Amino acid sequence: MEKRATIKDVAEAAGVGVATVSRVLSGGSASPRTRDRVLAVAAQLDYRPSALGRNLRQRRTGGMGLFVPDLTDTFYGQLAEGVLACARSAGEPVLLGSTGGDPEQESELIGMLLEQSVDRLIAVPSGDADTWAPAIRAGMTVVFADRLPSPAVQDEPGAAAVDDLMFLDGLPAAPRVRPLDAPSVVADDRAGIRTAVRYLRGLGHKRIAFLGGPGHDRRVAAFREAVGAPVDEELVVFGTGSRDSAYAAASGLFQSRPDLSAVVAGGNVLGEAAVLAARELDLRVPRDVSLVMYDDVPWAELCAPPLTVIAQPGRDMGYRAAELVLRSGGRRPRSVVLPTELIIRGSCGPHR
């Protein structure tokens, strides 16, 4: 029998990405020329996506998907443990995928799950709303964990992060809020960052820096809010997500701003980079620089000195997300905000 054409086959033949094919076939945005080319190729290859939506509702394969950006990140390992524990208790298998923080790779993985009629997915998203809208329109039940997709178009920088902070406070967001109809399980980033900044301020620190990475929009917005205007933007630095990039960002920050006295790292990879960069530059912690890291991971207590952390419940986050995705079929579940905790150890000291 002849092999049935897949969405990847259509993308390759049309010379576009899988995400573009998904948008066109689900009625999303695309230029007229791109739309015509994709539809022509789909017809030529006899690709019939309309059957997919029916399959999602009528012929489930069982199980669920789980997408994370980095399988080596300790926090995502904790989140995956929670998902697997809940799925195991329900007798459901889990298909695990690593997106590498790449929206295009994420789109391809979404397409693969849709092809296999896997209709339930937990994701730490890397792509924006346009990446995820086709899957949700096709009938897939999606629960976002740890963070939310950014909107495809923002009317002002940081607008989505402000909306998310309002969400965490239980306030209605502005009309520009993303249109995705999907629940989420996230930590209370705002309270965690605010508590850490207040703690450092109480120790006398005034020049506090923030090390951020992909998906940290809410955290950096909370940091800017906590330090207050005017924000010294040279003290807000981002890496691209890799360990090399995190180290370069931390090292560059320490060397360009020797006057800073404290750093809040937005994740455990960035915290690890800050520790290594400080050691390489002969900066003593906490005598020369105080460090607070978002995420409590096992190695944080093994550092010398042990790191002060903003702990978020990674395993509980995964378990709750799996519970939500398993409830699909009835009333749409509500989103969940989990508390954070500042755990004070030895990496912070009074400003000298």
Side-chain angles (χ1 to χ4, degrees):
M1 293 180 64
E2 186 176 343
K3 181 182 176 183
R4 185 170 66 90
T6 68
I7 193 170
K8 192 171 184 179
D9 295 332
V10 176
E12 291 177 352
V16 298
V18 171
T20 301
V21 176
S22 294
R23 284 198 299 272
V24 169
L25 298 181
S26 61
S29 59
S31 69
R33 182 176 179 181
T34 298
R35 181 182 301 278
D36 291 343
R37 184 165 71 252
V38 169
L39 292 176
V41 169
Q44 182 181 356
L45 296 178
D46 195 26
Y47 178 69
R48 295 183 295 274
S50 59
L52 178 60
R54 292 195 298 272
N55 285 343
L56 284 174
R57 292 175 174 83
Q58 299 173 6
R59 184 177 56 81
R60 286 191 55 251
T61 61
M64 67 181 77
L66 169 62
F67 290 172
V68 297
D70 182 1
L71 289 173
T72 67
D73 187 308
T74 307
F75 169 73
Y76 296 132
Q78 294 171 348
L79 188 147
E81 284 182 0
V83 171
L84 292 170
C86 183
R88 188 162 49 245
S89 67
E92 293 279 355
V94 178
L95 297 175
L96 178 61
S98 175
T99 65
D102 180 3
E104 191 67 27
Q105 187 171 329
E106 185 173 72
S107 291
E108 291 187 13
L109 288 172
I110 293 171
M112 289 172 58
L113 289 190
L114 290 173
E115 291 284 347
Q116 297 171 37
S117 297
V118 176
D119 66 344
R120 296 181 294 191
L121 174 61
I122 299 162
V124 180
S126 298
D128 60 18
D130 271 355
T131 302
W132 287 96
I136 293 172
R137 282 198 294 265
M140 177 175 276
T141 299
V142 178
V143 174
F144 296 116
D146 183 50
R147 62 194 190 213
L148 307 174
S150 60
V153 178
Q154 293 186 24
D155 55 354
E156 59 184 86
V162 173
D163 286 341
D164 290 343
L165 291 180
M166 294 176 70
F167 161 71
L168 291 176
D169 275 356
L171 300 173
R176 61 176 173 265
V177 69
R178 60 186 59 75
L180 296 179
D181 184 27
S184 61
V185 182
V186 298
D188 193 345
D189 290 343
R190 186 180 211 173
I193 296 293
R194 184 165 48 196
T195 301
V197 171
R198 285 178 178 171
Y199 172 64
L200 291 170
R201 283 276 172 81
L203 292 173
H205 296 281
K206 295 181 179 179
R207 294 184 180 88
I208 305 171
F210 183 86
L211 272 173
H216 291 169
D217 295 346
R218 288 201 319 273
R219 294 175 192 174
V220 73
F223 175 79
R224 288 192 171 104
E225 180 185 72
V227 298
V231 177
D232 186 342
E233 293 298 335
E234 289 186 355
L235 294 179
V236 181
V237 178
F238 289 89
T240 61
S242 70
R243 280 174 164 76
D244 287 344
S245 173
Y247 178 82
S251 180
L253 174 64
F254 287 141
Q255 293 180 75
S256 65
R257 291 300 299 266
D259 58 327
L260 70 83
S261 63
V263 174
V264 177
N268 67 80
V269 172
L270 292 154
E272 176 185 294
V275 170
L276 294 175
R279 184 180 303 162
E280 290 290 327
L281 295 170
D282 292 325
L283 293 173
R284 295 164 296 179
V285 178
R287 184 178 180 87
D288 298 323
V289 61
S290 290
L291 294 178
V292 177
M293 180 177 74
Y294 204 107
D295 287 341
D296 188 20
V297 293
W299 60 260
E301 286 191 275
L302 303 178
C303 287
L307 292 188
T308 293
V309 298
I310 303 165
Q312 61 172 336
R315 193 178 188 280
D316 192 26
M317 184 179 294
Y319 199 99
R320 297 289 292 275
E323 284 183 326
L324 290 186
V325 85
L326 287 170
R327 289 182 200 163
S328 61
R331 188 171 56 182
R332 177 181 178 271
R334 299 180 60 182
S335 294
V336 177
V337 180
L338 299 175
T340 56
E341 177 187 5
L342 181 67
I343 301 177
I344 298 173
R345 297 183 180 130
S347 64
C348 296
H351 178 51
R352 298 177 183 273

